[in-house]
């Protein structure tokens, strides 16, 4: 491979691998900024992936897949929301419960509906070049020849950031996530805001799950393979900010891409070690080596009106 | 608005505690009404009802003759009733401007930071409460945060402003500033309710005083009423204020710190102090200026990182609570619930737990229960601890009686030095007098007391000499009569 080709494919692979992390990470930010700790990103994305498969299989269209992915993941997120907001469950345990249920349920439904042999691949989403821009050397084929969902993820980052920090609704989410009793006394509907925020995180996870499925066009058990946990790491590393999530996601994606490139070049690197990098980087981040990251004050704390 | 009336307010909390018993009260525009009462007298509950936070069982809130339906704080705000809670309802990581407008942002869905900031700042100048609207609330001192709280209530259109124990967290200088603001707001036609249990504040700020006791409104008085009479109305019986007699008999040194440093935020920064036998040495300061570090260093919990500590002539290399206790230093901890008592254990267990060996209640690993209980009975009698029996768990006692348990246990061994940290925090007038009496008696016996307190009245009333702490250092020393100078030192102003 030429050096240029290595760089091009490196960047392209990085973006591709970062996309679901960005979606999951944005979901995490939306949920946790409102005060609901979201360990369930993994399970929610898995439900989204299955939803895409089922929707695309039933309708034979990409749109059908995406609609069902978002609907299924949002329902999954609302289960977490109910456990966390109304049942006052421990949010770590509630999140893990959602993950386990998602893993078992998608597996069960897949086999129940499509049998052991499965079904034909569903329509996926290949790269779509942006006219003119994709002709730029190196950058063109890497940045501007991606899945539509990747473009959407990249656009979603500034959009969520703007919404959270520059709009009235965003201010309300921040207030609820920091001190719900203060928000309540200002007349904000704490429960409503939290439900909506967790639902929004479900939408993001649904898109992330859909992306994972569109890359391979068929469902397999636990196919998210830890992307949701890496997204969770990206939330923390990114200091609960959309732009921080993007940086983290690209960084984590780059490590994975590096690993596959090294492998294709015949350099042997222990695969497991590179997989552990996001978590190691997150530990470094939370232990305060690279500036201080700080969770929303009420993250994971149920609000009980006195 | 001309007046707000609370009519026949009744509120019970399970199990059967009557927080408000048929209270009727009028709050008038243009005046400051002080609501005075002991802890648990129902002051806060009554005012939370007026502010829509709590719903009454019976009774109504009437504004200028029309009855209000208050289902939430927001309802109360829409009728012009705002409350500044004792624990501020601010969001530390948001800016002052964002906190002020939260929930009342007006028309636009978008927030333009600089417009927001300018409009809050111009509002703050208009009402005479200057704030830097762009700063984060967490960067502000407590007094400034309180100003933001008041500003927010006014921004929301409050005509009645309820302040719940607003001076509890302020330095004397900040307190004076608050009183000025309160007076100005009253002359601008607002109705101010000032909840307090500090008697001396009343005459400075109030136009009228109502006194609550056990949920009932027991009296209304002018603010010029003698403090003794107000105290008696609050407590329900005459209260003697124990005072210091004679000068300290401090020929010999009981405790000395020389250039003591310790880590922490804030820790101690080269603190030197001498405490003689037969004196009470006050350590004044606003919370969070190194008092906790001092308390823990003296108690042997925290090690010095520099300087020396000597106790009755000995300077232990490494300290621990055990060595300090053996050398005759005991502590009445500031965190009573965490460090002072074992809440689920019984009164008698709490009373003897530190002295089992010294008093011979533990032989060969077995507890001599009967002897220990006898000892506990004596202490309960001697210190007037009110409990059902010595088997009752300490957690069920009132705050005042819990503190009596701590004091009885610590003073019973007649230690040479007592470190009393915030010993009357959260206690009512009667219990406070009891604690003060015990400390003064200890002094009379020729023992030393280090009184660490954020309560300037307590410091001035009991101390023979005063050290003031500011940001981990001793910012100055003063005589207890130099109240204003102490206040300035507490604020870190060179005096």
């Amino acid at each position: 491979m030429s050096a240029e080709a290595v760089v091009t494919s490196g960047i392209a692979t990085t973006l591709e691998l970062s996309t679901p992390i960005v979606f999951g990470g944005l979901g995490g930010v939306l949920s946790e900024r409102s005060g609901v700790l979201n360990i369930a990103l993994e399970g929610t994305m898995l439900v989204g992936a299955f939803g895409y498969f089922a929707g695309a299989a039933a309708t034979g269209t990409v749109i059908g897949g995406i609609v069902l992915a978002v609907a299924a993941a949002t329902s999954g997120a609302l289960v977490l929301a109910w456990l966390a907001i109304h049942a006052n469950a421990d949010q770590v345990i509630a999140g893990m419960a959602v993950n386990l249920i998602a893993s078992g349920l998608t597996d069960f439904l897949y086999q129940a509906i499509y049998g052991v042999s499965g079904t034909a691949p569903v329509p996926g989403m290949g790269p779509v070049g942006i006219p003119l821009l994709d002709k730029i050397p190196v950058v063109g084929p890497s940045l501007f020849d991606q899945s539509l969902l990747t473009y959407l993820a990249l656009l979603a980052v500034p959009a969520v950031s703007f919404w959270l920090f520059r709009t009235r609704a965003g201010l309300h989410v921040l207030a609820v996530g920091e001190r719900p009793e203060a928000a309540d006394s200002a007349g904000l509907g704490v429960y409503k805001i939290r439900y909506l925020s967790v639902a929004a995180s479900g939408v993001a996870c649904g898109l992330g799950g859909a992306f994972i499925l569109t890359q391979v066009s068929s469902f397999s058990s636990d196919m998210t393979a830890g992307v949701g946990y890496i997204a969770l790491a990206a939330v923390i590393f990114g200091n609960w900010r959309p732009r921080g999530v993007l940086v983290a996601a690209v960084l984590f994606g780059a490590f994975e891409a590096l690993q596959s490139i090294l492998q294709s070049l015949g350099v042997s690197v222990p695969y497991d070690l590179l997989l552990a990098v996001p978590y190691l980087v997150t530990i470094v981040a939370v232990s305060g080596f690279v500036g201080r990251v700080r969770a929303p004050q009420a993250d994971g704390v149920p609000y009980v009106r006195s | 608005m001309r007046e707000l009336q609370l009519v026949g307010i009744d509120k019970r909390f399970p199990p059967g505690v009557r927080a408000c018993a048929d209270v009727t009260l009028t709050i008038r525009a243009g005046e400051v009404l002080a609501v005075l009462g002991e802890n648990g007298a129902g002051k806060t509950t009554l005012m939370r009802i007026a502010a829509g936070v709590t719903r009454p069982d019976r009774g109504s809130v009437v504004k200028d003759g029309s009855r209000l339906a208050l289902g939430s704080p927001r309802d109360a705000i829409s009728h012009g009733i705002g409350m500044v809670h004792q624990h501020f309802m601010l969001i530390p990581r948001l800016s002052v401007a964002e906190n002020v407008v939260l929930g009342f942002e007006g028309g636009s869905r978008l927030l333009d930071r600089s417009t927001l900031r300018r409009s809050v700042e111009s509002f703050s100048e208009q009402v005479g409460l200057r704030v830097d609207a762009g700063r984060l609330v967490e960067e502000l001192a407590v007094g400034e945060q309180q100003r933001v709280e008041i500003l927010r209530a006014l921004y929301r259109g409050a005509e009645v402003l309820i302040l719940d124990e607003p001076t509890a967290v302020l330095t004397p200088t900040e307190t004076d500033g608050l009183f000025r603001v309160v007076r100005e707001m009253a002359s601008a036609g607002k109705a101010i309710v000032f909840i307090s249990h500090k008697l001396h504040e009343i005459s400075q700020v109030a136009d009228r005083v109502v006194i609550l006791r056990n949920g009932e409104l027991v009296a209304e008085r002018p603010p010029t009423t003698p403090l003794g009479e107000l105290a008696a109305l609050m407590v329900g019986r005459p209260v003697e204020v124990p005072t210091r007699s004679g000068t300290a008999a401090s020929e010999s040194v009981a405790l000395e710190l020389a250039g003591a440093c310790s880590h922490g935020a804030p820790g101690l920064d080269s603190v030197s102090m001498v405490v003689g036998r037969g004196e009470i040495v006050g350590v004044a300061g606003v919370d969070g200026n190194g008092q906790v570090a001092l308390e823990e260093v003296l108690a042997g919990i925290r090690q010095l990182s520099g300087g020396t500590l000597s106790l009755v002539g000995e300077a232990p290399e490494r300290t621990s609570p055990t060595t300090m206790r053996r050398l005759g230093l005991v502590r009445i901890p500031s965190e009573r619930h965490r460090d002072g008592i074992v809440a689920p254990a019984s009164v008698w267990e709490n009373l003897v737990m530190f002295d089992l060996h010294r008093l011979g209640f533990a032989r060969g690993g077995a507890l001599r229960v009967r002897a220990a209980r006898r000892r506990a009975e004596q202490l309960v009698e001697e210190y007037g601890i009110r409990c059902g029996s010595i088997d009752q768990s300490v957690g069920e006692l009132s705050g005042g009686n819990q503190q009596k348990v701590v004091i009885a246990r610590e003073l019973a061994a007649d230690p040479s030095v007592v470190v009393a940290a915030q010993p009357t925090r959260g206690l009512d007038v009667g219990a406070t007098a009891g604690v003060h009496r015990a400390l003064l008696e200890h002094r009379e016996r020729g023992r030393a007391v280090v009184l660490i307190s954020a309560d300037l009245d307590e410091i001035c009333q009991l101390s023979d000499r005063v050290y003031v702490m500011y940001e981990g250092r001793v910012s100055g020393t003063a005589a207890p009569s130099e109240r204003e100078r102490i206040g300035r030192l507490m604020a870190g102003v060179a005096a």
Side-chain angles (χ1 to χ4, degrees):
Chain A
M1 253 196 295
S2 71
E4 192 187 308
V6 169
V7 172
T8 304
S9 94
I11 296 174
T13 314
T14 297
L15 275 188
E16 189 186 315
L17 292 168
S18 305
T19 301
I21 307 176
V22 171
F23 277 125
L26 290 178
V29 167
L30 287 167
S31 164
E32 298 199 9
R33 278 289 187 170
S34 81
V36 179
L37 183 66
N38 200 335
I39 306 281
L41 297 175
E42 173 81 3
T44 318
M45 286 171 84
L46 183 61
V47 169
F50 181 79
Y52 181 92
F53 181 80
T59 62
T61 64
V62 170
I63 287 297
I66 287 181
V67 168
L68 197 59
V70 168
T74 305
S75 323
L78 286 175
V79 172
L80 174 76
W82 183 82
L83 288 171
I85 299 167
H86 269 111
N88 295 340
D90 181 304
Q91 297 182 9
V92 173
I93 295 172
M96 288 312 293
V98 169
N99 287 340
L100 293 171
I101 293 168
S103 168
L105 192 66
T106 51
D107 227 18
F108 167 76
L109 287 176
Y110 181 75
Q111 297 208 8
I113 300 171
Y114 306 106
V116 186
S117 54
T119 181
V122 295
M125 293 173 75
V128 178
I130 297 179
L132 298 181
L133 290 178
D134 64 351
K135 298 292 183 290
I136 305 170
V138 186
V139 187
S142 56
L143 288 184
F144 301 112
D145 191 22
Q146 295 283 351
S147 164
L148 287 174
L149 285 176
T150 300
Y151 299 134
L152 181 63
L154 295 177
L155 291 175
V157 171
V160 172
S161 188
F162 182 86
W163 184 78
L164 212 45
F165 300 117
R166 292 281 182 276
T167 68
R168 185 170 63 185
L171 177 66
H172 291 181
V173 171
L174 299 183
V176 164
E178 293 289 331
R179 271 199 80 184
E181 65 274 33
D184 193 9
S185 77
L188 308 184
V190 174
Y191 299 118
K192 183 178 141 198
I193 290 171
R194 286 191 167 173
Y195 267 110
L196 289 174
S197 301
V198 179
S201 110
V203 172
C205 287
L207 293 170
F211 177 82
I212 292 173
L213 204 118
T214 57
Q215 298 304 99
V216 291
S217 292
S218 67
F219 184 82
S220 57
S221 25
D222 294 322
M223 68 182 300
T224 41
V227 169
Y229 294 114
I230 295 180
L232 195 61
V235 172
I236 298 166
F237 183 80
N239 202 8
W240 288 266
R241 290 172 178 278
R243 288 170 210 280
V245 163
L246 178 65
V247 170
V250 169
L251 188 71
F252 297 163
F255 271 103
E256 269 190 82
L258 179 68
Q259 180 267 335
S260 62
I261 289 170
L262 288 177
Q263 226 164 36
S264 70
L265 293 177
V267 184
S268 90
V269 188
Y271 176 69
D272 304 340
L273 201 64
L274 281 163
L275 274 189
V277 162
Y279 304 108
L280 292 177
V281 172
T282 304
I283 289 172
V284 171
V286 292
S287 48
F289 286 109
V290 277
R292 210 153 63 95
V293 297
R294 198 156 58 140
Q297 218 173 357
D299 194 7
V301 187
Y303 178 59
V304 184
R305 204 168 187 170
S306 62
Chain B
M1 190 207 76
R2 280 172 290 109
E3 59 179 32
L4 185 77
Q5 284 176 299
L6 306 179
V7 184
I9 302 285
D10 228 82
K11 178 72 187 176
R12 270 172 209 279
F13 288 112
V17 180
R18 202 167 182 202
C20 298
D22 195 24
V23 177
T24 297
L25 180 65
T26 304
I27 302 160
R28 301 189 193 106
E31 73 166 8
V32 180
L33 173 69
V35 177
L36 196 60
E38 298 259 82
N39 291 320
K43 315 182 286 288
T44 300
T45 304
L46 181 66
M47 288 306 148
R48 284 166 72 97
I49 288 169
V53 180
T54 305
R55 287 181 204 208
D57 297 334
R58 276 195 295 119
S60 51
V61 180
V62 178
K63 181 182 170 185
D64 291 341
S66 59
R67 195 182 155 145
L68 307 181
L70 301 178
S72 71
R74 182 112 193 175
D75 293 341
I77 291 162
S78 70
H79 289 110
I81 305 165
M83 181 161 178
V84 174
H85 296 269
Q86 205 177 349
H87 301 285
F88 298 156
M89 289 286 185
L90 295 173
I91 297 163
R93 281 171 80 178
L94 296 183
S95 71
V96 169
E98 287 168 325
N99 269 283
V100 169
V101 303
L102 184 69
F104 296 79
E105 297 89 349
S108 172
R109 286 175 180 280
L110 299 183
L111 292 180
D112 176 1
R113 287 252 167 84
S114 53
T115 312
L116 195 65
R117 181 179 165 172
R118 270 198 305 278
S119 75
V120 168
E121 267 171 9
S122 75
F123 180 77
S124 84
E125 273 163 39
Q126 193 186 318
V127 297
L129 283 166
R130 269 170 188 276
V131 293
D132 181 350
R135 290 182 70 190
L136 296 184
V137 163
E138 65 186 353
E139 296 168 356
L140 304 181
V142 180
E144 295 172 290
Q145 293 190 5
Q146 186 174 61
R147 206 149 59 220
V148 175
E149 279 272 7
I150 295 173
L151 183 68
R152 178 171 63 177
L154 297 179
Y155 186 86
R156 292 172 177 179
E159 299 174 295
V160 179
L161 186 63
I162 301 165
L163 305 170
D164 191 1
E165 308 244 356
T167 60
V169 291
L170 301 184
T171 63
T173 323
E174 287 173 328
T175 301
D176 290 343
L178 173 71
F179 287 168
R180 230 177 5 256
V181 167
V182 164
R183 293 303 330 170
E184 277 166 18
M185 287 191 295
S187 43
K190 308 277 182 199
I192 313 287
V193 179
F194 194 97
I195 302 178
S196 181
H197 66 245
K198 294 186 185 171
L199 294 165
H200 70 94
E201 292 179 354
I202 301 307
S203 58
Q204 290 182 52
V205 73
D207 296 307
R208 202 153 56 92
V209 184
V210 293
I211 297 126
L212 290 181
R213 188 170 73 229
N214 296 330
E216 288 178 60
L217 199 152
V218 292
E220 182 179 327
R221 291 282 184 277
T224 47
T225 312
L227 297 188
E229 187 184 337
L230 292 176
L233 286 166
M234 272 167 76
V235 182
R237 58 188 155 76
V239 185
E240 271 179 64
V241 178
T243 47
R244 200 159 26 93
S245 62
T247 48
S250 63
E251 307 101 45
S252 59
V253 172
L255 172 74
E256 184 168 3
L257 279 177
C261 297
S262 106
H263 300 298
L268 297 182
D269 182 2
S270 191
V271 169
S272 299
M273 56 176 68
V274 180
V275 182
R277 292 179 205 271
E279 66 172 353
I280 295 181
V281 169
V283 179
V286 179
D287 274 347
N289 278 288
Q291 295 96 323
V292 171
L294 178 67
E295 177 191 344
E296 295 189 351
V297 159
L298 293 178
I301 295 168
R302 220 185 263 221
Q303 301 298 317
L304 288 180
S305 57
T308 56
L309 182 165
S310 62
L311 184 61
V312 285
E314 285 196 54
E317 184 80 354
R318 270 192 70 79
T319 58
S320 73
T322 317
T323 55
M324 297 309 277
R325 196 166 266 283
R326 195 164 39 76
L327 291 172
L329 180 144
V330 301
R331 170 175 73 131
I332 297 164
S334 53
E335 292 277 346
R336 185 186 317 140
H337 299 279
R338 193 187 68 191
D339 303 337
I341 57 169
V342 180
S346 68
V347 170
W348 76 265
E349 288 167 321
N350 271 279
L351 281 170
V352 300
M353 61 168 83
F354 289 155
D355 286 319
L356 294 175
H357 289 283
R358 194 178 58 80
L359 296 172
F361 293 153
R363 288 265 169 80
L367 210 54
R368 290 175 56 215
V369 173
R370 206 172 307 162
R373 289 175 63 97
R374 241 192 334 266
R375 164 79 171 171
E377 297 274 14
Q378 278 170 12
L379 291 174
V380 165
E381 180 73 32
E382 198 177 319
Y383 285 85
I385 299 166
R386 269 192 276 170
C387 56
S389 82
I390 57 168
D391 291 310
Q392 196 179 2
S393 71
V394 165
E396 292 169 11
L397 304 186
S398 71
N401 279 297
Q402 290 178 350
Q403 189 71 324
K404 280 186 196 166
V405 168
V406 175
I407 286 175
R409 179 183 65 214
E410 301 302 345
L411 297 192
D414 197 21
S416 50
V417 181
V418 176
V419 177
Q422 320 293 354
T424 59
R425 178 163 287 173
L427 302 190
D428 55 35
V429 177
T432 298
V435 170
H436 288 171
R437 206 171 298 121
L439 294 177
L440 287 166
E441 281 168 13
H442 202 64
R443 168 184 177 271
E444 301 297 314
R445 283 198 296 271
R447 307 303 187 191
V449 176
V450 181
L451 173 67
I452 302 174
S453 176
D455 182 344
L456 193 50
D457 296 320
E458 178 169 78
I459 291 278
C460 294
Q461 186 188 331
L462 299 184
S463 310
D464 292 293
R465 290 182 299 121
V466 179
Y467 289 90
V468 185
M469 290 196 72
Y470 181 73
E471 292 186 345
R473 284 186 302 274
V474 171
S475 60
T477 56
S481 53
E482 299 174 281
R483 203 186 151 93
E484 289 191 358
R485 183 175 138 80
I486 298 172
R488 285 196 303 275
L489 287 166
M490 282 167 78
V493 181

